[in-house]
Amino acid sequence: MLTRAVRPALNAGVAASVRPVTAHAANYATLREIEQRLKSIKNIEKITKTMKIVASTKLTRAQKAMTESRTYGQTSNTVFEKAETKPLEDENKKTLIVVASSDKGLCGGIHSGLTRATRRMLEEKPNSDIVVLGEKSKAQLSRSNSKNIVLSFAGVGKDVPTFADAQAIADQISLLPTDYGDIQIMYNRFVNQTSYVPTPLEAFSEEAIANSPQFAQFEIDDEVLSNLREYALANSLYWALAEGHACEQSARRNAMDNASKNAGDMINKFQILYNRTRQAVITGELVEIITGASASEE
Amino acid sequence: MAFAWRASGLTYNRYLAVAARVVRRSLKEGPRLQAERRGEMELRFAKWENGKQGENKSLAQENASSMAEHASEGQK
């Protein structure tokens, strides 16, 4: 390659020209620096492109899981809709907020969006407790509301969430000592490929279910009621996790797409700068040689 | 209507998970491997007290032990 062949000569030239004029070098990057920068940007572009492809393949699976889990969760909630269940309006009972985020970053602002929505909710009900799923929101919430956190789960979002995940989480939540008036599950609702809305999903307490106006239409024994509650909580959690996962993958795909585009722009810019600088250096050298030659002729 | 599994401290979800595992294990080799992947759970969790994070523990083990505790409480 031309650059390779030219480099030794250039290095000598650059080294010679840089040392005496340091002020000149400060605002004018050397050829070598530009080349190194260009190389690292190209590497970054490669990485972001690969991550985008990975996220795209994962996205199709995540979206499938999401549509399945959505019907699942909605069917499970039909009971409460038909029973017209409302959350308890009891001031003495605490609210539990479950934040369904994940462990991994590099996916734009979906985690911080979720955290912000949770904080807003906490302002309304400062007495609530929080359960955090996933490291990202845990880090953010532990800075501002660490007193409210009662449980945190790690290992969320490595793969498409399974129902076993949701069940285990629901179990641990129902084993919590405090009796909660209602449970709000915060998750990112998937609107379309580019927009996600942090939404609360209601999971009712036993009392709230028992007090619902149309409750008499169902034949539910009191003993089975707690089963229904636990199961409904697991269903809702599964829905929230799967939908959140799909949002995350889609957000990551977009973020990586943007990163690759920006890297491409930067590469173009730096390539032009590199070529210009190279030419300037060559011209400078030629001038030096010619002046040197004409001076020694005389 | 009393359930044997509830008396032994299991929650409904745990009961379902065990039942699902049994069904998965009784499948034929090919579909079984695929199905068992759906039953995997590798979460870890930590309890928080007064704004401090506790120890990170495996969720599966902790669930099992806390349910065993509930079982002994029930028998008393």
Side-chain angles (χ1 to χ4, degrees):
Chain A
M1 292 226 327
L2 181 70
T3 50
R4 281 272 158 77
V6 168
R7 206 189 291 155
L10 278 185
N11 283 347
V14 165
S17 67
V18 163
R19 249 169 241 145
V21 248
T22 31
H24 181 70
N27 53 23
Y28 204 75
T30 62
L31 204 54
R32 204 162 199 203
E33 279 166 1
I34 297 173
E35 200 190 356
Q36 273 167 356
R37 189 89 196 272
L38 195 60
K39 247 186 205 166
S40 77
I41 298 170
K42 273 183 184 162
N43 281 337
I44 291 170
E45 194 202 22
K46 260 184 227 159
I47 294 169
T48 51
K49 260 190 185 159
T50 323
M51 282 181 81
K52 184 193 151 191
I53 293 164
V54 172
S56 314
T57 36
K58 277 191 178 167
L59 176 64
T60 41
R61 271 180 61 210
Q63 264 182 314
K64 221 175 100 196
M66 179 189 77
T67 33
E68 278 166 11
S69 75
R70 193 184 269 172
T71 36
Y72 208 75
Q74 274 166 350
T75 317
S76 158
N77 276 351
T78 319
V79 181
F80 304 120
E81 269 165 39
K82 289 274 190 290
E84 292 171 20
T85 311
K86 300 231 165 51
L88 279 184
E89 307 246 333
D90 191 347
E91 289 294 312
N92 300 322
K93 292 230 171 179
K94 278 186 159 187
T95 309
L96 182 72
I97 306 175
V98 183
V99 187
S101 102
S102 92
D103 278 7
K104 287 185 182 161
L106 287 180
C107 46
I110 66 162
H111 294 316
S112 41
L114 208 57
T115 312
R116 224 174 296 137
T118 313
R119 281 194 191 132
R120 222 173 304 145
M121 211 174 200
L122 275 170
E123 270 167 27
E124 284 168 29
K125 302 172 187 164
N127 205 19
S128 325
D129 281 350
I130 317 175
V131 169
V132 195
L133 319 178
E135 296 281 340
K136 280 289 155 191
S137 277
K138 187 191 92 181
Q140 290 165 354
L141 282 170
S142 68
R143 254 177 273 138
S144 59
N145 305 86
S146 60
K147 288 254 186 280
N148 299 72
I149 302 179
V150 286
L151 281 178
S152 71
F153 294 85
V156 187
K158 274 183 196 154
D159 211 337
V160 176
T162 61
F163 192 63
D165 288 340
Q167 280 183 319
I169 295 168
D171 272 354
Q172 201 51 244
I173 289 174
S174 53
L175 285 173
L176 280 173
T178 328
D179 187 22
Y180 293 105
D182 70 324
I183 300 177
Q184 304 268 354
I185 305 171
M186 295 294 296
Y187 73 106
N188 273 306
R189 196 157 55 86
F190 191 92
V191 181
N192 56 39
Q193 289 274 357
T194 49
S195 85
Y196 328 98
V197 188
T199 324
L201 183 66
E202 198 80 48
F204 302 103
S205 65
E206 271 167 63
E207 245 177 286
I209 300 173
N211 286 339
S212 43
Q214 302 293 319
F215 182 66
Q217 296 197 346
F218 295 91
E219 280 183 27
I220 301 178
D221 286 333
D222 284 349
E223 265 182 74
V224 199
L225 194 59
S226 68
N227 296 349
L228 173 68
R229 198 207 80 145
E230 280 167 24
Y231 187 51
L233 178 61
N235 277 334
S236 305
L237 274 173
Y238 178 56
W239 177 14
L241 279 174
E243 189 142 347
H245 184 73
C247 286
E248 187 195 322
Q249 292 302 349
S250 154
R252 180 167 299 127
R253 205 197 75 93
N254 290 339
M256 288 304 126
D257 193 30
N258 286 338
S260 309
K261 254 185 225 152
N262 290 344
D265 286 352
M266 272 178 90
I267 287 172
N268 280 342
K269 226 176 77 193
F270 270 89
Q271 192 73 58
I272 290 168
L273 182 65
Y274 176 75
N275 290 345
R276 287 234 176 100
T277 322
R278 197 170 68 91
Q279 269 187 333
V281 169
I282 293 171
T283 322
E285 258 175 59
L286 276 177
V287 171
E288 271 171 33
I289 293 168
I290 291 164
T291 37
S294 59
S296 58
E297 249 172 41
E298 284 163 16
Chain B
M1 197 166 33
F3 303 101
W5 48 268
R6 180 146 304 270
S8 58
L10 294 187
T11 59
Y12 183 61
N13 280 320
R14 187 75 201 140
Y15 166 69
L16 280 185
V18 172
R21 198 172 65 205
V22 171
V23 174
R24 286 197 194 105
R25 286 204 179 149
S26 50
L27 285 170
K28 259 166 90 180
E29 188 72 21
R32 197 194 74 204
L33 291 175
Q34 245 192 342
E36 279 196 336
R37 219 178 294 152
R38 284 198 294 269
E40 278 169 12
M41 198 270 300
E42 295 170 341
L43 297 179
R44 281 165 293 111
F45 85 110
K47 283 186 180 154
W48 289 61
E49 259 167 46
N50 293 324
K52 288 277 176 296
Q53 186 183 356
E55 206 185 328
N56 247 332
K57 286 177 267 188
S58 157
L59 185 53
Q61 283 168 14
E62 191 63 18
N63 263 346
S65 63
S66 59
M67 276 167 207
E69 247 170 62
H70 269 248
S72 51
E73 273 169 30
Q75 281 164 0
K76 264 175 208 169

